[in-house]
Amino acid sequence: MIVQNFSIPYLQDRTLLLQEALRPNFKKYSITEEYPIVLDPNKNQYSLCVIEKDTKLSSSKSTLLGHANIWPRQLIHSKGNKRHNVILIGNVATKKKYRGTGVMKFLFSHIWSYAVTHKIEALLLWSDLPQIYNKLGFTPCAKELHLYFSKEKLDLLPSATHEFQAVTSESINSTIWHELLNIRYKTEATIGRTANELQTLLKIPDTVLLVKKRNNRILSYCIVGKGNDFAGFVHEWGGFKPSCVLEALKQIATITAWPIIGLLAPATLENHWLDAFSPHLERREFHDMVWVRAQETSTVPKTLQNGIIWGLDSI
């Protein structure tokens, strides 16, 4: 077995592997549309493939055994004076007949060696397979809060004086992105993102950016959905006060008729926000935010305790 960066001859095999492993019953759109940055065929540096040459054949035909995306990012403190180099890992899959044969152990050993060599402080991933990732050196780190709002209770709120409008990805520029950053709920740290990256990520199917403006000033915003991952969920938001976010949730509930709307929030969400949200909630839940394997001297796990990785940044 060898690990190599993705190349075009494996495009069909990669898509089929990921679709069968991660989206077996989902046919609305291809998984490649859900990850337009890391699965871009022209950006092979984000895609690692485990391959094995078929020694029974005289040709150079090789078999794709497994795959993982790696996305180098920076975990940035809110004041911008400290940054941590991390790698996000996602779209991990092994071809069915090779599962349990050490393919992932081999691949993750390669990724960890790369991290050590390139002074990456930590590897971050999302998974509900603890029995696998514990063995690979990962542990759950930090918590995130999932708030579930009832349409029935949101309907009791007064109507907004200014409706939220959808913003297309083509409209995003640095000015708009900085406006959103200024009102996004602040935590100690989160993953850095550029305006160009936001523009690309908003092209993911079933992803909508809603903003409320007054006198050309953005007062609040919500990002709803993200492909198959965040259906029915607001996974990034901001506003000058809780009532602005509640207005957005009411409008979403009215338009979609979803009986329940989820909202991703930091585990450290301030009490005055919780107090404002509580009358409209069906339930709240804490979940592990991310799985981490960090260098011994890294402070990334501690930093994440009071941080958030917004849904649009996860892979």
Side-chain angles (χ1 to χ4, degrees):
M1 292 189 293
I2 63 169
V3 176
Q4 68 177 45
N5 288 98
F6 166 80
S7 59
I8 292 297
Y10 293 101
L11 178 59
Q12 185 175 352
D13 289 343
R14 182 183 71 173
T15 302
L16 183 62
L17 168 64
L18 297 180
Q19 203 76 33
E20 289 182 344
L22 306 176
R23 300 287 188 270
N25 302 310
F26 188 79
K27 308 298 180 185
K28 188 176 179 181
Y29 35 75
S30 168
I31 193 169
T32 57
E33 295 179 77
E34 295 188 68
Y35 300 96
I37 294 179
V38 296
L39 290 180
D40 183 338
N42 297 312
K43 296 180 180 178
N44 68 340
Q45 71 270 31
Y46 300 140
S47 202
L48 296 179
C49 298
V50 181
I51 64 171
E52 186 169 55
K53 184 174 291 189
D54 192 337
T55 56
K56 296 179 181 179
L57 299 176
S58 57
S59 69
S60 59
K61 178 178 175 60
S62 299
T63 302
L64 176 64
L65 307 183
H67 174 272
N69 281 126
I70 58 170
W71 196 14
R73 312 300 283 153
Q74 287 195 322
L75 181 66
I76 303 175
H77 286 243
S78 58
K79 294 182 180 179
N81 58 353
K82 190 172 183 181
R83 297 171 179 239
H84 307 269
N85 292 323
V86 300
I87 285 179
L88 308 187
I89 299 175
N91 293 323
V92 179
T94 303
K95 198 168 184 177
K96 191 172 183 180
K97 66 181 290 186
Y98 296 98
R99 292 172 189 169
T101 63
V103 171
M104 279 302 111
K105 183 178 180 180
F106 181 75
L107 177 54
F108 273 78
S109 176
H110 174 91
I111 296 172
W112 183 248
S113 295
Y114 175 92
V116 172
T117 301
H118 291 81
K119 302 187 185 306
I120 304 297
E121 285 194 49
L123 307 177
L124 283 62
L125 61 79
W126 292 261
S127 179
D128 55 1
L129 300 172
Q131 68 276 16
I132 293 177
Y133 290 104
N134 274 329
K135 293 179 181 178
L136 294 174
F138 289 80
T139 55
C141 178
K143 296 290 182 181
E144 62 186 23
L145 179 60
H146 294 189
L147 301 174
Y148 294 92
F149 292 82
S150 160
K151 178 184 184 302
E152 183 179 357
K153 294 178 181 178
L154 290 170
D155 283 342
L156 300 176
L157 287 165
S159 297
T161 54
H162 294 74
E163 286 197 347
F164 284 75
Q165 303 295 325
V167 175
T168 63
S169 61
E170 290 75 14
S171 302
I172 296 298
N173 55 39
S174 295
T175 300
I176 292 175
W177 176 219
H178 286 300
E179 280 191 76
L180 298 179
L181 275 180
N182 285 337
I183 60 173
R184 187 166 72 175
Y185 186 87
K186 299 295 189 296
T187 60
E188 183 176 308
T190 193
I191 299 295
R193 189 196 301 155
T194 67
N196 286 340
E197 287 167 343
L198 175 61
Q199 187 178 65
T200 301
L201 293 167
L202 288 176
K203 294 177 183 178
I204 297 171
D206 295 332
T207 306
V208 180
L209 167 60
L210 295 173
V211 302
K212 178 180 178 179
K213 287 185 176 182
R214 183 180 297 160
N215 299 325
N216 290 321
R217 181 191 186 195
I218 298 177
L219 300 180
S220 58
Y221 81 99
C222 288
I223 300 180
V224 190
K226 181 198 171 193
N228 188 60
D229 277 346
F230 280 93
F233 235 87
V234 172
H235 55 87
E236 183 169 327
W237 52 273
F240 289 107
K241 52 186 179 179
S243 60
C244 292
V245 178
L246 287 169
E247 287 175 349
L249 293 173
K250 176 177 180 174
Q251 184 170 322
I252 294 166
T254 300
I255 294 172
T256 64
W258 293 333
I260 299 291
I261 297 173
L263 182 84
L264 176 66
T268 54
L269 188 66
E270 294 174 343
N271 287 334
H272 78 276
W273 284 86
L274 278 173
D275 291 343
F277 288 160
S278 290
H280 316 286
L281 291 176
E282 284 296 305
R283 67 186 189 278
R284 65 182 75 178
E285 300 171 354
F286 286 96
H287 294 262
D288 293 328
M289 183 170 64
V290 68
W291 285 69
V292 176
R293 182 177 180 184
Q295 307 287 356
E296 287 186 9
T297 58
S298 172
T299 59
V300 165
K302 182 179 179 181
T303 301
L304 285 171
Q305 297 300 323
N306 295 315
I308 185 72
I309 299 175
W310 298 103
L312 205 58
D313 294 312
S314 62
I315 65 170

